[in-house]
Each structure stands twice: as structure tokens, then as C-alpha cells.
Amino acid sequence: MIKKIILILIITISLIFALSAIILTTVGIETNRFNNLITKKINQSNSNIDLKLNKIRFKYDVKEISLFLETNNPLIYYRNTEIPAKNIKVYINFVSLIKANPSIKKINLVFNNIKIEELKKLSGTFKPSNFTSFLKNKIKEGKINTKLEIYLDQNNLFDNFIANGSVSNLNAEITKNITLVKTNFNFFADKSDVILKNIFSEAGPIKIKDGDLKANFDTGVYIESNFETNIKYNPKFLKYKNLIKDFKFIKNMTDLNANLKNNFIINFDPTYKIKKYNLKSSGKITNANFNFDNPLESSFLNEKIDKFSIINSEIKTNLNSKKKITNI
């Protein structure tokens, strides 16, 4: 009889634990006890944030092996500007919860599409300041879809972050009258690195595809990028000659069709001045034509050259702070 009672008790306890685990890992347990805690801890990290939470669910993340609090459609204001958040998860240290002094390990935020205009309003405290200037003055439109993980230290103060997501339909002014349009890419970022992948964009006669970019901010700024370009230049794109002005005789070019693979490296010092740069391109020129207002003379030719064409030719270029080499 005692064995049956013990067996029933064990089964009952096991079922309770199993049922609790299922509830915690799926629908969760609804509670309002932690609303003030989350708001207080986040405000402690940044006084410019005003957070208003809806119903909170207490859940368990199997992958993270951690308890967390979750709510949908929270109202988040940063410097009086609303951030369109879709979901927020706050991961809590279980031991600290038992000791009645809850400590937050990290905060996961999922945002709805953020428009560039909204991001400009939030950019007042972005670093470096010249990035803020670029964002406000050069970025014209676009949308950002992102997830953000904020890691806090033992004092519930900001320690690090991880952001990943995508940017779509971005338009940015590169130089006067020259603009990147239809720009799309995926991104990853933390305190020291930014990685962009699957970059596609257009700038007049130039189409960019299959691009990637890596930026490191440990000491100054180091940027490296690889991308392919398809160029179809004609006289209506005259202003775009400035992008390749380092090529000799570029002012005499009337049209160009080419497909190139490119790699560039730029190294900035801590004051964001360019220390050195290197651009390498290789590919094929399908067609290029040049007209010379002042015909070229050569000791090897009897006649002067006033027109010149390149057809179905391989090209390699190397432009950097010390040399400029083009081989066709």
C-alpha cells in the first residue's frame, strides 16, 4: 500500500513538473508582478528610455536554459521618440530571483520596420558624431528590420549588444548629385564590428551586386568590402565620371560597358581621417569608346589618334595611396 502511494506521489509530481515545463516553454504564465522591475532596471541603464509594458508572460527558454519575461507590442520611447517594437524578452538570473533581488542578464528586442526618418530622430547620441551627420544629411529614405540583444553586467548596466536584421529600399547621397538607390542588405553589428552581406544597389550607370562589407572599430576604423559591378555608361551619366576620375583619359570616354569584381580597403585613424586605402578591380570591358579633342601623337604612328576603342578586353586596376596602375 505504501509503495502504491509513493508511486502515485512520484507520478503526480512528475506530471506536475512536466505540465509546468510544457506551460513555461509554450504559453507561459501571465503575471504583472515584474512590470515595475523591468521598467526600473531598464531606466537604471538609461534614463532617456520610457517603457510601458502590456501583459507579461513568465516563460522558459530551452536553448538559453534560462527564465525570461515576454510581452508583445511594448510602448518604448527614447528621448520622447517612439520606437516601434514588436516584442521584448527579458532574461533573468534564476538564482537572483530566488534571493528576491532579480538581476537581468540580457534584453531581446524585436522591432517592426523602422523608417529612416524615425532613426534620424533617435540619432542624437550615436557615436561617432560624423556617422550621425551622415545619417541626417546623406540618408534620404529606407527601412530597417532588426533584432537587438542588449547584455547587462552584474550592476544591470549596459555591457554589450548584438544587432542583426536587414535594410531595404535605402537611398543615400554619396557625393553631390550622385545617389545610391534601391539599396538592400543584411547586417550584423556589435560594439566592435559591423558586417553587411548580400549588398545590392544602383548608382546611375552602375549596378552593385553580391556585395559584402566588414568594419572594425577597435582602433580607428578599418573597412573592407568585396562586390561586383555592372557598368553601362553613356553621356547622360556625365556626372558619374567623378567616381572613376583617377583613370587616365576618363574625361575623353563617351561610353563604357563592363563587368568587374572589386575589393577595397580603407583604414581611418581615431579622428576618422583616411590613413590609407586600396582598390583592386578585375573583369572584362565589353565595349569602351574615347574621343580626343586634342588628338594623341605617337612616334610609332604616322597619323594622330582622335578616336580609340576597347572591345572584349580584360582589365585589372590597382589604386591606392601610393600608386595607380591599370592594365588592359
Side-chain angles (χ1 to χ4, degrees):
M1 184 68 179
I2 295 176
K3 289 183 178 181
K4 286 185 179 180
I5 293 173
I6 294 174
L7 181 61
I8 292 171
L9 185 61
I10 292 174
I11 293 173
T12 302
I13 292 173
S14 299
L15 287 173
I16 291 172
F17 272 106
L19 183 61
S20 299
I22 292 171
I23 292 173
L24 281 173
T25 55
T26 53
V27 296
I29 299 172
E30 191 172 305
T31 177
N32 292 321
R33 292 183 59 189
F34 298 97
N35 290 42
N36 291 333
L37 166 70
I38 296 173
T39 302
K40 181 180 177 181
K41 294 295 184 182
I42 291 177
N43 286 341
Q44 183 179 336
S45 303
N46 195 316
S47 60
N48 293 313
I49 295 177
D50 182 19
L51 179 64
K52 296 179 181 178
L53 303 176
N54 296 316
K55 294 180 180 179
I56 291 178
R57 290 189 178 275
F58 196 63
K59 303 175 77 173
Y60 184 78
D61 190 322
V62 178
K63 292 182 179 180
E64 296 277 350
I65 314 177
S66 177
L67 294 168
F68 69 92
L69 303 168
E70 180 182 33
T71 185
N72 294 322
N73 302 314
L75 293 176
I76 303 176
Y77 292 87
Y78 183 75
R79 293 182 176 272
N80 298 317
T81 300
E82 183 178 356
I83 302 175
K86 182 179 180 181
N87 175 275
I88 183 171
K89 294 179 181 178
V90 180
Y91 287 80
I92 296 178
N93 184 296
F94 181 71
V95 176
S96 70
L97 193 64
I98 295 175
K99 293 180 179 180
N101 184 28
S103 174
I104 296 175
K105 295 192 295 182
K106 72 172 182 175
I107 300 169
N108 284 10
L109 284 163
V110 179
F111 296 100
N112 292 313
N113 284 332
I114 302 175
K115 295 180 180 180
I116 291 299
E117 289 302 320
E118 295 170 328
L119 190 61
K120 288 181 179 182
K121 294 178 182 178
L122 301 171
S123 65
T125 58
F126 288 0
K127 301 293 182 181
S129 59
N130 53 356
F131 171 75
T132 301
S133 176
F134 178 79
L135 177 63
K136 288 185 175 181
N137 300 314
K138 299 296 184 179
I139 304 296
K140 304 305 179 183
E141 61 179 314
K143 291 183 179 180
I144 301 175
N145 189 7
T146 184
K147 295 180 181 179
L148 177 64
E149 295 183 10
I150 302 172
Y151 293 86
L152 306 180
D153 60 20
Q154 294 180 346
N155 298 315
N156 290 310
L157 298 176
F158 176 81
D159 184 44
N160 199 355
F161 78 93
I162 294 176
N164 62 79
S166 61
V167 172
S168 59
N169 295 320
L170 180 71
N171 290 352
E173 182 182 333
I174 304 303
T175 61
K176 187 177 181 181
N177 299 321
I178 297 179
T179 303
L180 284 174
V181 299
K182 300 179 182 178
T183 305
N184 301 286
F185 57 84
N186 300 323
F187 68 86
F188 169 90
D190 59 18
K191 281 202 306 185
S192 61
D193 297 280
V194 174
I195 299 174
L196 309 185
K197 289 190 174 184
N198 302 318
I199 303 172
F200 291 83
S201 186
E202 295 181 18
I206 303 171
K207 288 188 177 181
I208 298 170
K209 63 178 183 178
D210 295 334
D212 63 66
L213 183 147
K214 298 177 183 178
N216 180 270
F217 303 94
D218 285 332
T219 55
V221 180
Y222 174 85
I223 298 175
E224 181 174 3
S225 179
N226 299 282
F227 58 96
E228 296 181 20
T229 51
N230 173 255
I231 304 173
K232 292 184 178 180
Y233 173 83
N234 60 56
K236 74 177 183 179
F237 296 117
L238 182 62
K239 61 189 178 183
Y240 286 86
K241 280 188 178 180
N242 289 328
L243 293 176
I244 47 176
K245 61 185 178 181
D246 288 324
F247 287 91
K248 193 174 182 180
F249 303 126
I250 195 64
K251 65 179 181 179
N252 305 107
M253 186 176 69
T254 58
D255 58 85
L256 169 67
N257 289 325
N259 291 289
L260 305 173
K261 291 185 177 180
N262 313 277
N263 168 268
F264 77 78
I265 295 173
I266 302 177
N267 201 349
F268 299 85
D269 66 18
T271 64
Y272 304 104
K273 292 182 179 179
I274 295 178
K275 291 172 61 178
K276 61 181 179 179
Y277 71 91
N278 189 39
L279 169 63
K280 293 181 180 180
S281 294
S282 63
K284 186 174 183 179
I285 296 176
T286 305
N287 181 65
N289 293 298
F290 299 81
N291 288 340
F292 300 102
D293 296 330
N294 298 313
L296 303 179
E297 296 185 46
S298 172
S299 58
F300 298 101
L301 299 174
N302 293 325
E303 297 183 10
K304 296 179 180 180
I305 300 171
D306 56 10
K307 290 185 179 181
F308 182 75
S309 296
I310 302 171
I311 300 172
N312 295 330
S313 300
E314 300 295 325
I315 181 172
K316 289 185 178 181
T317 64
N318 187 356
L319 308 177
N320 57 49
S321 47
K322 295 182 178 180
K323 59 184 179 180
K324 297 177 177 62
I325 299 174
T326 301
N327 292 321
I328 299 175

